[in-house]
Amino acid sequence: MTIAADPSTLRDEIAARLDTARKRTQRLTDCLDEDELLRQHSPLMSPLVWDLAHVANQEELWLLRGVGGRDPMHPEIDPLYDAFEHPRAKRPTLPLLPPGEARSYAHEVRGRVLDLLERVSFSTGQLVEHGFAFGMIAQHEQQHDETMLATHQLRKGSPVLRAQAPEPAPADVLRLPAEVFVPGGIFTMGTSTEPWALDNERPAHPVDVPPFYLDTTPVTNAAYIGFIEARGYDDQRLWSQAGWEYRQKADLAAPLFWERGGAGQWLRRRFGITEPVPAAEPVMHVSWYEADAYARWAGRRLPSEAEWEKAARFDQASGRSRRYPWGDAEPTPARANLGQHHLQPAPAGSYPQGAAPSGARQLIGDVWEWTASDFRPYPGFVAYPYREYSEVFFGTDYKVLRGGAFSADPVACRGTFRNWDFPIRRQIFSGFRTARDSDLA
Ligand SMILES: [Fe+2]
């Protein structure tokens, strides 16, 4: 976000971001009864009531205790809501706060945080500079809201969430080239100036990226059905060794939540509604292994993380990296499908106002995009404000996803924002686009 220089505007911005996150948390939890909030809808996820008190507990830890120097409100509950102490599968067995108590704890913490915000000086250290800790907490709640939305998608039962479908793609989609060219050369990756960027996005550093071609839009359901119908799931040559082993073990045959309907039609379940798979929408709920196999089938490959970011941010004309594909201005509903305004991605080729200088569309919003890259630190990385934010996840276990999805809020989605997950993950709102080398050296 663009950070105001004067403290009173910054206070207002922070309060608004915290409020947006809390309203979304309420929207995701007020629609379910106590039993549904306490139930574990999938072993992959926490009960929603855990997320509810966990966001409040983190807010208390970082803002009331960390920034405000207050004593713990309920020290006995801290261990219950420590994500590193209890894996998701075990969380239902913990003596968690029941929904009513979790809500009043969150409400009380928020009230005290807003009092603190009125009086805090933003010049007393790195944690509060430009309101960083407050921004981190707004992002944290939004990231849990996204996880809670994934829990809703996994939940069985009648639909409780509703939203308008996105606009159909504009007419110029028919004239879009299948791929865009990104010239070779050095560009600036990451950021040292974005005030609420997290440690793993820092610092800005030069990266030399050879010329390449990138899909103009994410891969669509129609294109992905081509891979399925060509028996791509049965052709071991298309899969990495680990991918093939997982495909066999998990018996993968289509994206998660898909099933075959009559007359060769594919159906999908989306937030409790079963509907025909829309051909023009970006494919979603595929693992990294499936994305990798599809790309090989198409005679292409996944883009590296650096390629993705260069296509999204680098402006050849000015020689600089933008904050977002469209420029430095904040996301709007006309530029990107973010913030759970719609409960699905928009058709491929939508959002011409959000296009990058390269001509690629929907790099921000719609679906998270798997990249070829492992999650690794940038040169000069410094863990902040704690090792467990990113550093403990670096290595070869996780693949990077970029660009956010309809399920991600703008506060937790930047041109530099990095997400990471295991290559087997499918319950997340993950899609991809493909790339190929250019023979122009
Ligand atoms: Fe968390």
Side-chain angles (χ1 to χ4, degrees):
M1 64 182 285
T2 314
I3 295 296
D6 78 285
S8 93
T9 314
L10 180 54
R11 284 192 176 92
D12 291 347
E13 283 177 6
I14 289 169
R17 299 288 183 157
L18 289 172
D19 189 53
T20 303
R22 184 52 48 85
K23 288 210 167 86
R24 184 175 173 197
T25 305
Q26 288 165 344
R27 218 165 42 245
L28 287 160
T29 50
D30 288 354
C31 54
L32 295 171
D33 62 25
E34 293 233 342
D35 179 56
E36 292 245 41
L37 293 172
L38 289 162
R39 186 182 309 162
Q40 188 169 40
H41 296 279
S42 156
L44 296 170
M45 311 307 265
S46 318
L48 291 165
V49 76
W50 185 88
D51 292 271
L52 203 52
H54 166 78
V55 296
N57 188 243
Q58 289 289 303
E59 184 167 333
E60 192 209 333
L61 268 170
W62 286 100
L63 300 183
L64 296 183
R65 299 186 220 174
V67 175
R70 311 286 170 77
D71 289 334
M73 288 164 66
H74 309 286
E76 71 284 0
I77 66 168
D78 286 353
L80 300 177
Y81 297 105
D82 182 336
F84 285 88
E85 225 166 288
H86 307 286
R88 285 177 178 176
K90 296 272 157 56
R91 290 175 192 167
T93 62
L94 301 172
L96 300 176
L97 295 182
E101 283 179 46
R103 284 189 177 108
S104 33
Y105 173 49
H107 183 73
E108 200 173 334
V109 170
R110 178 55 57 84
R112 294 183 191 194
V113 163
L114 293 177
D115 287 345
L116 174 70
L117 179 62
E118 281 306 305
R119 285 174 287 105
V120 74
S121 154
F122 296 115
S123 55
T124 52
Q126 195 180 357
L127 199 57
V128 286
E129 196 183 357
H130 306 299
F132 174 80
F134 294 89
M136 183 178 77
I137 286 303
Q139 294 182 63
H140 179 255
E141 182 159 351
Q142 286 285 4
Q143 286 170 309
H144 275 273
D145 289 341
E146 183 170 7
T147 305
M148 290 160 82
L149 188 65
T151 306
H152 271 271
Q153 170 62 16
L154 285 160
R155 170 187 163 266
K156 303 266 177 3
S158 55
V160 291
L161 295 174
R162 288 181 202 281
Q164 260 191 334
E167 298 289 311
D172 75 338
V173 162
L174 300 171
R175 297 189 301 276
L176 287 179
E179 59 183 5
V180 299
F181 178 66
V182 181
I186 291 172
F187 89 110
T188 300
M189 185 172 184
T191 178
S192 301
T193 52
E194 195 69 47
W196 288 4
L198 301 162
D199 59 0
N200 62 63
E201 299 166 69
R202 302 168 184 270
H205 60 287
V207 180
D208 194 359
V209 178
F212 69 101
Y213 289 90
L214 182 70
D215 289 342
T216 307
T217 71
V219 169
T220 62
N221 287 324
Y224 198 84
I225 287 170
F227 167 71
I228 300 174
E229 304 302 343
R231 308 192 63 81
Y233 277 94
D234 300 324
D235 187 347
Q236 187 175 352
R237 293 166 304 172
L238 299 174
W239 297 72
S240 64
Q241 195 188 329
W244 183 251
E245 280 166 19
Y246 185 69
R247 177 255 169 267
Q248 299 291 85
K249 185 173 147 226
D251 204 18
L252 303 184
L256 188 59
F257 307 115
W258 283 30
E259 60 181 86
R260 278 199 192 270
Q265 192 187 33
W266 281 100
L267 303 174
R268 70 171 178 192
R269 184 164 57 81
R270 183 173 63 85
F271 299 110
I273 297 168
T274 299
E275 60 188 14
V277 167
E281 238 178 58
V283 68
M284 195 164 57
H285 299 302
V286 287
S287 62
W288 185 91
Y289 291 134
E290 289 163 293
D292 177 59
Y294 172 96
R296 208 165 283 118
W297 171 76
R300 299 169 69 84
R301 59 177 174 78
L302 293 178
S304 69
E305 186 182 8
E307 287 174 330
W308 188 98
E309 187 169 324
K310 186 173 184 184
R313 296 183 62 213
F314 186 63
D315 176 21
Q316 196 74 27
S318 66
R320 63 178 279 274
S321 293
R322 299 167 161 193
R323 296 179 67 223
Y324 297 98
W326 53 84
D328 292 341
E330 293 294 302
T332 62
R335 292 184 178 125
N337 182 4
L338 291 167
Q340 203 188 308
H341 294 307
H342 310 293
L343 285 174
Q344 64 199 96
S350 298
Y351 299 100
Q353 289 185 52
S358 62
R361 292 193 183 177
Q362 292 168 297
L363 284 156
I364 296 287
D366 291 298
V367 287
W368 287 103
E369 298 182 20
W370 286 113
T371 71
S373 302
D374 294 336
F375 186 47
R376 292 189 181 280
Y378 291 158
F381 167 84
V382 179
Y384 187 80
Y386 59 121
R387 277 194 70 238
E388 285 73 18
Y389 190 80
S390 318
E391 194 176 355
V392 297
F393 300 101
F394 289 144
T396 54
D397 288 352
Y398 296 92
K399 297 292 183 190
V400 172
L401 301 111
R402 298 296 296 260
F406 69 91
S407 49
D409 186 84
V411 79
C413 179
R414 289 169 288 278
T416 55
F417 191 91
R418 309 173 75 194
N419 191 1
W420 65 91
D421 218 323
F422 292 117
I424 62 169
R425 278 285 182 263
R426 314 208 300 161
Q427 87 276 15
I428 55 176
F429 303 100
S430 51
F432 62 101
R433 69 181 79 205
T434 68
R436 69 179 171 99
D437 296 345
S438 157
D439 27 23
L440 290 175

